[in-house]
């Protein structure tokens, strides 16, 4: 199984076993996984869970693939795609036990607030759809004061 997850079809909802072979294991998703540090460390710390990172930047995805290969973890994969689309349409319904969103882009200017992932109806609806019953959404944000410009 390659650490780079490429869906066979980007235009239908996936089944959990398409991402990892055992659909009974908890699936945790990290949105905007950057260089993969958090993803790989979580996979090492919790070998009984599966971890999917979602990142749209190619260089970061390539770095994460190298990190997964170098560490040898088998329970981490990375998907190159936009986060809101992944949560709203691609990830399986009721499949994610925990979703991590660490330090999302704050878009601090008032005129840019519409670009914030967490302000998106598509994202919020997708979040509700993909989380298992009693699933968790963990948001860690740096405290920036929004600008009025």
């Amino acid at each position: 199984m390659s650490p780079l997850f490429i869906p066979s079809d980007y235009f239908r909802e996936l089944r959990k076993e398409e991402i990892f072979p055992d659909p009974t294991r908890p699936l945790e998703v990290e949105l905007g996984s950057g260089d993969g540090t958090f993803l790989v460390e979580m996979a090492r710390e919790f070998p009984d869970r599966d971890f999917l990172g979602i990142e749209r930047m190619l260089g970061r995805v390539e770095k994460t693939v190298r990190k997964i290969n170098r560490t040898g973890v088998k329970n981490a994969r990375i998907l190159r795609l936009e986060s809101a689309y992944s949560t709203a349409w691609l990830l399986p319904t009721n499949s994610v036990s925990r979703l991590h969103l660490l330090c999302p882009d704050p878009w601090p200017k008032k005129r840019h607030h519409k670009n914030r992932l967490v302000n998106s109806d598509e994202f919020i609806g997708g979040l509700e759809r993909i989380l298992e019953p009693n699933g968790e959404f963990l948001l860690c944000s740096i405290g920036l004061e929004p600008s009025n410009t």
Side-chain angles (χ1 to χ4, degrees):
M1 178 172 64
S2 169
L4 179 60
F5 174 58
I6 301 173
S8 60
D9 186 346
Y10 285 89
F11 301 103
R12 68 166 174 77
E13 183 179 326
L14 297 172
R15 293 182 322 277
K16 194 173 178 183
E17 57 271 13
E18 291 178 89
I19 305 168
F20 285 97
D22 184 352
T24 63
R25 288 168 52 99
L27 174 63
E28 297 194 24
V29 173
E30 180 190 14
L31 299 180
S33 56
D35 69 359
T37 299
F38 179 80
L39 183 74
V40 170
E41 289 305 313
M42 289 294 285
R44 284 208 288 206
E45 183 72 24
F46 300 99
D48 58 327
R49 300 173 184 208
D50 291 325
F51 294 87
L52 176 67
I54 299 176
E55 174 59 58
R56 68 178 182 85
M57 307 275 295
L58 178 60
R60 293 174 181 176
V61 168
E62 291 170 338
K63 192 170 188 176
T64 301
V65 167
R66 288 192 301 272
K67 200 170 280 189
I68 291 170
N69 283 332
R70 188 174 59 247
T71 60
V73 294
K74 301 294 184 207
N75 60 331
R77 300 187 83 187
I78 184 80
L79 166 66
R80 183 179 182 217
L81 200 59
E82 199 275 326
S83 293
Y85 180 82
S86 300
T87 56
W89 304 103
L90 192 68
L91 293 174
T93 300
N94 296 329
S95 65
V96 176
S97 61
R98 190 173 289 148
L99 187 122
H100 303 270
L101 181 57
L102 308 177
C103 302
D105 190 341
W107 292 97
K109 293 182 180 176
K110 188 173 184 175
R111 68 177 183 263
H112 293 157
H113 286 189
K114 66 185 180 296
N115 298 329
R116 290 180 177 169
L117 177 65
V118 295
N119 286 0
S120 159
D121 290 339
E122 180 182 47
F123 173 72
I124 299 300
L127 183 62
E128 181 179 27
R129 183 185 67 77
I130 66 170
L131 283 175
E132 295 175 340
N134 300 314
E136 298 177 300
F137 172 45
L138 303 175
L139 172 66
C140 177
S141 184
I142 54 176
L144 293 179
E145 290 296 319
S147 170
N148 292 325
T149 57

